[in-house]
């Protein structure tokens, strides 16, 4: 059985996109991260060192959102997945990147890309 830690709505201003104006002007990006892991040891020890510190994870995600520009949301999501999987306790991660101000010519509420990654065997 797998447990989950979920952090949603992590916001940061970044410069991702394929268009020059996106790279120049930037916009807000939002990330949701769902970690699959066992929290049993942390529950028994009541020690944050036995789990993923979600505050630290959120800071890492915000830094990636605000960091090195990428053309694609898929690339940003992969960077976040890699950071999450760097925690040895994490078995799988789902990352959703939202781009609510994407340059689309029709009315829309949100654009999002979701990836799911696990540990390589």
């Amino acid at each position: 059985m797998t447990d989950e830690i979920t952090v949603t709505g992590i916001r940061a201003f970044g410069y991702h996109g394929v268009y020059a104006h996106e790279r120049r002007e930037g916009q807000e990006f939002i990330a949701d991260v769902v970690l699959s892991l066992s929290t049993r040891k942390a529950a028994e020890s009541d020690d944050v060192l036995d789990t993923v510190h979600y505050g630290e994870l959120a800071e890492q995600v915000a830094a990636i959102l605000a960091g090195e520009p990428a053309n694609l949301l898929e690339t940003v999501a992969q960077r976040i997945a890699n950071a999450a999987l760097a925690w040895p306790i994490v078995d799988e991660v789902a990352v959703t990147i939202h781009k609510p101000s994407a340059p689309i010519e029709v009315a829309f509420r949100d654009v999002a890309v979701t990836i799911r990654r696990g540990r390589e065997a």
Side-chain angles (χ1 to χ4, degrees):
M1 183 174 292
T2 300
D3 306 318
E4 291 183 348
I5 294 176
T6 303
V7 184
T8 60
I10 303 165
R11 298 173 181 269
F13 197 86
Y15 296 87
H16 312 291
V18 296
Y19 298 114
H21 68 85
E22 293 180 290
R23 295 291 186 105
R24 184 177 57 251
E25 298 166 16
Q27 61 192 285
E28 183 178 60
F29 293 86
I30 304 164
D32 304 326
V33 182
V34 180
L35 307 177
S36 297
L37 69 165
S38 173
T39 63
R40 185 176 308 273
K41 183 175 179 184
E44 292 172 358
S45 71
D46 198 30
D47 189 338
V48 71
L49 297 177
D50 290 329
T51 190
V52 173
H53 189 302
Y54 47 80
E56 291 177 9
L57 176 66
E59 290 175 7
Q60 290 176 325
V61 170
I64 292 167
L65 291 175
E68 180 183 351
N71 288 332
L72 301 178
L73 297 179
E74 292 86 343
T75 302
V76 178
Q78 184 65 56
R79 291 173 183 169
I80 292 170
N82 291 344
L85 289 168
W87 295 77
I89 193 173
V90 175
D91 297 319
E92 296 177 347
V93 61
V95 177
T96 301
I97 305 295
H98 302 265
K99 188 175 181 179
S101 297
I104 297 175
E105 297 298 320
V106 299
F108 73 101
R109 182 180 304 165
D110 190 18
V111 171
V113 170
T114 299
I115 67 167
R116 290 169 186 79
R117 299 291 185 266
R119 296 211 170 274
E120 299 295 327

Coordinates of all heavy atoms in Angstrom, one line a residue, residues 18-79:
V18 N 7.7 29.2 -25.7 CA 8.4 29.1 -26.9 C 8.5 30.5 -27.6 O 9.3 30.7 -28.5 CB 7.8 28.1 -27.9 CG1 7.9 26.7 -27.4 CG2 6.3 28.4 -28.2
Y19 N 7.7 31.4 -27.1 CA 7.7 32.8 -27.8 C 8.6 33.7 -27.1 O 8.8 33.7 -25.9 CB 6.3 33.3 -27.8 CG 5.3 32.5 -28.6 CD1 4.3 31.8 -27.9 CD2 5.5 32.3 -30.0 CE1 3.4 31.0 -28.7 CE2 4.6 31.5 -30.7 CZ 3.6 30.9 -30.0 OH 2.7 30.1 -30.7
A20 N 9.2 34.6 -27.9 CA 10.2 35.6 -27.3 C 9.5 36.5 -26.2 O 10.1 36.8 -25.2 CB 10.7 36.5 -28.4
H21 N 8.3 36.9 -26.4 CA 7.6 37.7 -25.4 C 7.4 37.0 -24.1 O 7.5 37.6 -23.0 CB 6.3 38.3 -25.9 CG 5.2 37.3 -26.1 ND1 4.4 36.9 -25.1 CD2 4.8 36.6 -27.3 CE1 3.5 36.0 -25.6 NE2 3.8 35.8 -26.9
E22 N 7.2 35.7 -24.1 CA 7.1 34.9 -22.9 C 8.5 34.9 -22.2 O 8.5 35.0 -20.9 CB 6.7 33.5 -23.2 CG 5.3 33.3 -23.7 CD 5.0 31.9 -24.0 OE1 5.5 31.3 -24.9 OE2 4.1 31.3 -23.2
R23 N 9.5 34.8 -22.9 CA 10.9 34.7 -22.3 C 11.3 36.1 -21.8 O 12.0 36.3 -20.8 CB 11.9 34.3 -23.4 CG 11.8 32.9 -23.8 CD 12.1 31.9 -22.7 NE 12.1 30.5 -23.1 CZ 13.2 29.8 -23.3 NH1 14.4 30.3 -23.1 NH2 13.1 28.6 -23.7
R24 N 10.7 37.2 -22.4 CA 11.1 38.5 -22.1 C 10.2 39.0 -20.9 O 10.7 39.6 -19.9 CB 10.9 39.4 -23.3 CG 11.3 40.9 -23.1 CD 11.1 41.7 -24.4 NE 9.8 41.6 -24.9 CZ 9.4 41.0 -26.0 NH1 10.3 40.3 -26.8 NH2 8.2 41.0 -26.5
E25 N 8.9 38.8 -21.0 CA 8.0 39.4 -20.0 C 7.7 38.4 -18.8 O 7.4 38.9 -17.7 CB 6.7 39.7 -20.7 CG 6.9 40.8 -21.8 CD 5.7 41.0 -22.7 OE1 4.6 40.5 -22.3 OE2 5.8 41.6 -23.8
G26 N 7.7 37.1 -19.1 CA 7.4 36.2 -18.0 C 6.0 36.1 -17.7 O 5.2 36.9 -18.1
Q27 N 5.7 35.2 -16.8 CA 4.3 35.0 -16.3 C 4.3 34.1 -15.1 O 5.3 33.4 -14.8 CB 3.4 34.5 -17.4 CG 3.8 33.1 -17.9 CD 3.1 32.8 -19.2 OE1 1.9 32.4 -19.2 NE2 3.8 32.9 -20.3
E28 N 3.2 34.0 -14.4 CA 3.0 33.1 -13.3 C 2.8 31.6 -13.7 O 2.1 31.4 -14.7 CB 1.9 33.5 -12.4 CG 1.8 32.7 -11.2 CD 0.6 33.1 -10.2 OE1 -0.5 33.1 -10.7 OE2 0.9 33.5 -9.1
F29 N 3.5 30.7 -13.1 CA 3.3 29.3 -13.3 C 2.9 28.7 -11.9 O 3.3 29.2 -10.9 CB 4.6 28.6 -13.8 CG 5.0 29.1 -15.1 CD1 5.7 30.2 -15.3 CD2 4.6 28.4 -16.2 CE1 6.0 30.7 -16.6 CE2 4.9 28.8 -17.5 CZ 5.6 29.9 -17.7
I30 N 2.1 27.6 -12.0 CA 1.6 27.0 -10.8 C 1.9 25.5 -10.9 O 1.7 24.9 -12.0 CB 0.1 27.2 -10.6 CG1 -0.2 28.7 -10.6 CG2 -0.4 26.5 -9.3 CD1 -1.7 29.0 -10.8
A31 N 2.4 24.9 -9.8 CA 2.7 23.5 -9.8 C 1.9 22.7 -8.7 O 1.8 23.3 -7.6 CB 4.2 23.2 -9.6
D32 N 1.5 21.5 -9.0 CA 0.9 20.6 -8.1 C 1.8 19.4 -8.1 O 2.2 18.9 -9.2 CB -0.5 20.2 -8.5 CG -1.4 21.4 -8.6 OD1 -1.3 22.4 -7.9 OD2 -2.3 21.3 -9.5
V33 N 2.1 18.9 -6.9 CA 3.0 17.7 -6.8 C 2.4 16.7 -5.9 O 2.0 17.0 -4.8 CB 4.4 18.1 -6.3 CG1 5.4 16.9 -6.2 CG2 5.0 19.2 -7.1
V34 N 2.3 15.4 -6.4 CA 1.8 14.3 -5.6 C 2.9 13.3 -5.5 O 3.3 12.7 -6.5 CB 0.5 13.7 -6.2 CG1 0.0 12.6 -5.3 CG2 -0.5 14.8 -6.4
L35 N 3.4 13.0 -4.3 CA 4.4 12.0 -4.0 C 3.8 10.7 -3.6 O 2.9 10.7 -2.7 CB 5.4 12.5 -2.9 CG 6.0 13.9 -3.1 CD1 6.8 14.2 -1.9 CD2 6.8 14.0 -4.4
S36 N 4.2 9.6 -4.1 CA 3.8 8.3 -3.6 C 5.0 7.7 -2.9 O 6.1 7.7 -3.4 CB 3.5 7.4 -4.8 OG 2.4 7.9 -5.5
L37 N 4.8 7.3 -1.6 CA 5.8 6.9 -0.7 C 5.2 6.2 0.4 O 4.0 6.2 0.6 CB 6.6 8.1 -0.3 CG 6.0 9.0 0.7 CD1 7.0 9.9 1.4 CD2 5.0 9.9 0.0
S38 N 6.0 5.6 1.3 CA 5.5 5.0 2.5 C 5.8 6.0 3.6 O 6.9 6.5 3.8 CB 6.2 3.7 2.8 OG 5.8 3.3 4.1
T39 N 4.8 6.4 4.4 CA 4.9 7.3 5.5 C 5.0 6.5 6.8 O 5.0 7.1 7.9 CB 3.8 8.3 5.6 OG1 2.6 7.7 5.7 CG2 3.8 9.2 4.3
R40 N 5.0 5.2 6.8 CA 4.9 4.4 8.0 C 6.0 4.7 9.0 O 5.8 4.9 10.1 CB 4.9 2.9 7.6 CG 4.7 2.0 8.8 CD 4.7 0.5 8.3 NE 3.7 0.2 7.3 CZ 2.4 0.0 7.4 NH1 1.9 -0.1 8.7 NH2 1.6 -0.3 6.4
K41 N 7.3 4.7 8.5 CA 8.4 5.0 9.4 C 8.2 6.4 10.1 O 8.4 6.5 11.3 CB 9.7 4.9 8.7 CG 10.9 5.1 9.6 CD 12.2 4.9 8.8 CE 13.4 5.1 9.7 NZ 14.7 5.0 9.0
A42 N 7.8 7.4 9.3 CA 7.6 8.7 9.9 C 6.5 8.7 10.9 O 6.6 9.4 11.9 CB 7.4 9.7 8.7
A43 N 5.4 8.0 10.6 CA 4.3 8.0 11.5 C 4.7 7.3 12.8 O 4.3 7.8 13.9 CB 3.1 7.2 10.9
E44 N 5.6 6.3 12.8 CA 6.0 5.6 14.0 C 7.0 6.5 14.8 O 7.0 6.5 16.0 CB 6.5 4.3 13.6 CG 5.5 3.3 13.1 CD 6.0 2.0 12.6 OE1 7.3 1.8 12.6 OE2 5.2 1.2 12.2
S45 N 7.9 7.1 14.0 CA 9.0 7.9 14.7 C 8.6 9.3 15.1 O 9.1 9.9 16.0 CB 10.2 8.0 13.8 OG 10.0 8.8 12.7
D46 N 7.6 9.8 14.4 CA 7.1 11.2 14.5 C 8.3 12.2 14.3 O 8.4 13.2 14.9 CB 6.5 11.4 15.9 CG 5.7 12.7 15.9 OD1 5.1 13.1 14.9 OD2 5.6 13.3 17.0
D47 N 9.1 11.8 13.3 CA 10.3 12.6 13.0 C 10.3 13.0 11.5 O 10.2 12.1 10.6 CB 11.6 11.7 13.2 CG 12.9 12.5 13.2 OD1 12.9 13.6 12.5 OD2 13.9 12.0 13.7
V48 N 10.4 14.3 11.2 CA 10.4 14.8 9.9 C 11.5 14.2 9.0 O 11.4 14.2 7.8 CB 10.4 16.3 9.8 CG1 11.7 16.9 10.3 CG2 9.9 16.9 8.5
L49 N 12.6 13.8 9.6 CA 13.7 13.2 8.9 C 13.3 11.9 8.2 O 14.1 11.4 7.3 CB 14.9 13.1 9.8 CG 15.5 14.4 10.3 CD1 16.7 14.1 11.2 CD2 15.9 15.3 9.2
D50 N 12.2 11.3 8.6 CA 11.8 10.0 8.1 C 10.7 10.2 7.0 O 10.1 9.2 6.6 CB 11.3 9.1 9.2 CG 12.4 8.6 10.1 OD1 13.5 8.5 9.7 OD2 12.1 8.4 11.3
T51 N 10.6 11.4 6.5 CA 9.6 11.6 5.5 C 10.1 12.7 4.5 O 11.3 13.1 4.6 CB 8.2 12.0 6.1 OG1 7.2 12.1 5.0 CG2 8.3 13.4 6.8
V52 N 9.3 13.2 3.6 CA 9.7 14.3 2.8 C 9.2 15.6 3.5 O 8.0 15.7 3.8 CB 9.0 14.2 1.4 CG1 9.3 15.4 0.6 CG2 9.6 13.0 0.7
H53 N 10.1 16.5 3.7 CA 9.7 17.8 4.3 C 9.0 18.6 3.2 O 9.7 19.1 2.3 CB 11.0 18.5 4.8 CG 10.7 19.7 5.6 ND1 10.0 20.8 5.1 CD2 11.1 20.0 6.8 CE1 10.0 21.7 6.0 NE2 10.6 21.3 7.1
Y54 N 7.7 18.7 3.3 CA 7.0 19.3 2.1 C 7.3 20.8 2.0 O 7.1 21.4 0.9 CB 5.5 19.0 2.2 CG 4.8 19.2 3.5 CD1 4.5 20.5 4.0 CD2 4.5 18.1 4.3 CE1 3.8 20.7 5.2 CE2 3.9 18.3 5.5 CZ 3.5 19.6 6.0 OH 2.9 19.7 7.2
G55 N 7.7 21.5 3.1 CA 8.1 22.9 3.0 C 9.4 23.0 2.1 O 9.5 23.9 1.2
E56 N 10.3 22.1 2.3 CA 11.6 22.1 1.5 C 11.2 21.8 0.1 O 11.8 22.4 -0.9 CB 12.6 21.2 2.1 CG 13.2 21.7 3.4 CD 14.1 20.7 4.0 OE1 14.5 19.7 3.3 OE2 14.5 20.9 5.2
L57 N 10.4 20.8 -0.1 CA 10.0 20.4 -1.5 C 9.3 21.6 -2.2 O 9.7 21.9 -3.3 CB 9.0 19.2 -1.4 CG 8.4 18.8 -2.8 CD1 9.5 18.3 -3.7 CD2 7.3 17.8 -2.6
A58 N 8.4 22.3 -1.5 CA 7.8 23.4 -2.1 C 8.8 24.5 -2.5 O 8.6 25.1 -3.6 CB 6.7 24.0 -1.2
E59 N 9.8 24.7 -1.7 CA 10.8 25.7 -2.1 C 11.6 25.3 -3.3 O 11.9 26.1 -4.2 CB 11.7 25.9 -0.9 CG 11.1 26.7 0.3 CD 12.0 26.8 1.5 OE1 13.2 26.4 1.4 OE2 11.5 27.3 2.5
Q60 N 11.9 24.0 -3.4 CA 12.6 23.5 -4.6 C 11.7 23.6 -5.8 O 12.3 24.1 -6.9 CB 12.9 22.0 -4.4 CG 14.0 21.6 -3.4 CD 14.1 20.2 -3.2 OE1 13.2 19.4 -3.3 NE2 15.4 19.7 -3.0
V61 N 10.5 23.3 -5.7 CA 9.6 23.5 -6.9 C 9.5 24.9 -7.3 O 9.6 25.2 -8.5 CB 8.2 22.9 -6.5 CG1 7.2 23.2 -7.6 CG2 8.3 21.4 -6.3
A62 N 9.3 25.8 -6.4 CA 9.2 27.3 -6.7 C 10.5 27.7 -7.4 O 10.4 28.5 -8.3 CB 8.9 28.1 -5.4
A63 N 11.6 27.3 -6.9 CA 12.9 27.6 -7.5 C 13.0 27.1 -9.0 O 13.5 27.8 -9.8 CB 14.1 27.1 -6.7
I64 N 12.5 26.0 -9.2 CA 12.5 25.5 -10.6 C 11.6 26.3 -11.5 O 11.9 26.6 -12.6 CB 12.1 24.0 -10.6 CG1 13.3 23.2 -9.9 CG2 11.9 23.5 -12.0 CD1 12.9 21.7 -9.6
L65 N 10.4 26.6 -11.0 CA 9.4 27.4 -11.7 C 10.0 28.8 -12.1 O 9.8 29.3 -13.2 CB 8.1 27.6 -10.9 CG 7.2 26.4 -10.7 CD1 6.1 26.7 -9.9 CD2 6.7 25.8 -12.1
A66 N 10.8 29.3 -11.1 CA 11.3 30.7 -11.3 C 12.7 30.6 -12.0 O 13.3 31.6 -12.3 CB 11.4 31.4 -10.0
G67 N 13.2 29.4 -12.2 CA 14.6 29.2 -12.6 C 14.8 29.2 -14.1 O 14.1 29.9 -14.9
E68 N 15.8 28.4 -14.5 CA 16.2 28.4 -15.9 C 15.0 28.2 -16.9 O 14.3 27.3 -16.8 CB 17.2 27.3 -16.1 CG 17.7 27.2 -17.6 CD 18.6 26.0 -17.8 OE1 19.0 25.3 -16.8 OE2 19.0 25.7 -18.9
P69 N 14.8 29.1 -17.8 CA 13.7 29.0 -18.8 C 13.8 27.7 -19.6 O 14.9 27.3 -20.0 CB 13.9 30.3 -19.6 CG 14.6 31.2 -18.8 CD 15.6 30.4 -18.0
A70 N 12.6 27.2 -19.9 CA 12.4 26.1 -20.8 C 11.4 26.4 -21.8 O 10.5 27.3 -21.6 CB 12.0 24.9 -20.0
N71 N 11.5 25.9 -23.0 CA 10.4 26.1 -24.0 C 9.1 25.4 -23.6 O 8.1 26.0 -23.8 CB 10.9 25.5 -25.3 CG 12.0 26.3 -26.0 OD1 12.1 27.5 -25.8 ND2 12.8 25.6 -26.8
L72 N 9.2 24.2 -23.0 CA 8.0 23.4 -22.8 C 7.7 23.2 -21.3 O 8.6 23.0 -20.5 CB 8.2 22.1 -23.4 CG 8.4 22.0 -25.0 CD1 8.6 20.6 -25.4 CD2 7.3 22.7 -25.7
L73 N 6.4 23.1 -21.0 CA 5.9 22.8 -19.7 C 6.4 21.4 -19.3 O 6.7 21.1 -18.2 CB 4.4 22.9 -19.6 CG 3.8 24.2 -19.8 CD1 2.3 24.2 -19.6 CD2 4.4 25.3 -18.8
E74 N 6.5 20.5 -20.3 CA 6.9 19.1 -20.1 C 8.3 19.1 -19.5 O 8.6 18.3 -18.6 CB 6.9 18.3 -21.4 CG 5.5 18.1 -21.9 CD 4.9 19.2 -22.8 OE1 5.4 20.3 -22.8 OE2 3.9 18.9 -23.5
T75 N 9.2 20.0 -20.0 CA 10.6 20.1 -19.5 C 10.6 20.6 -18.0 O 11.3 20.0 -17.2 CB 11.4 21.1 -20.3 OG1 11.4 20.6 -21.7 CG2 12.8 21.2 -19.9
V76 N 9.8 21.6 -17.7 CA 9.7 22.1 -16.3 C 9.2 21.0 -15.4 O 9.7 20.8 -14.3 CB 8.8 23.4 -16.3 CG1 8.7 23.9 -14.8 CG2 9.3 24.5 -17.2
A77 N 8.1 20.3 -15.9 CA 7.6 19.2 -15.0 C 8.6 18.1 -14.8 O 8.7 17.6 -13.7 CB 6.3 18.6 -15.7
Q78 N 9.4 17.8 -15.8 CA 10.5 16.8 -15.6 C 11.5 17.2 -14.6 O 12.0 16.4 -13.8 CB 11.1 16.4 -17.0 CG 12.1 15.3 -16.9 CD 11.5 14.0 -16.5 OE1 10.6 13.5 -17.2 NE2 12.0 13.4 -15.4
R79 N 11.9 18.5 -14.6 CA 12.8 19.0 -13.7 C 12.3 18.8 -12.2 O 13.0 18.5 -11.3 CB 13.1 20.5 -14.0 CG 13.9 20.7 -15.2 CD 14.1 22.2 -15.5 NE 14.8 22.4 -16.8 CZ 14.8 23.5 -17.4 NH1 14.3 24.6 -16.9 NH2 15.5 23.7 -18.6

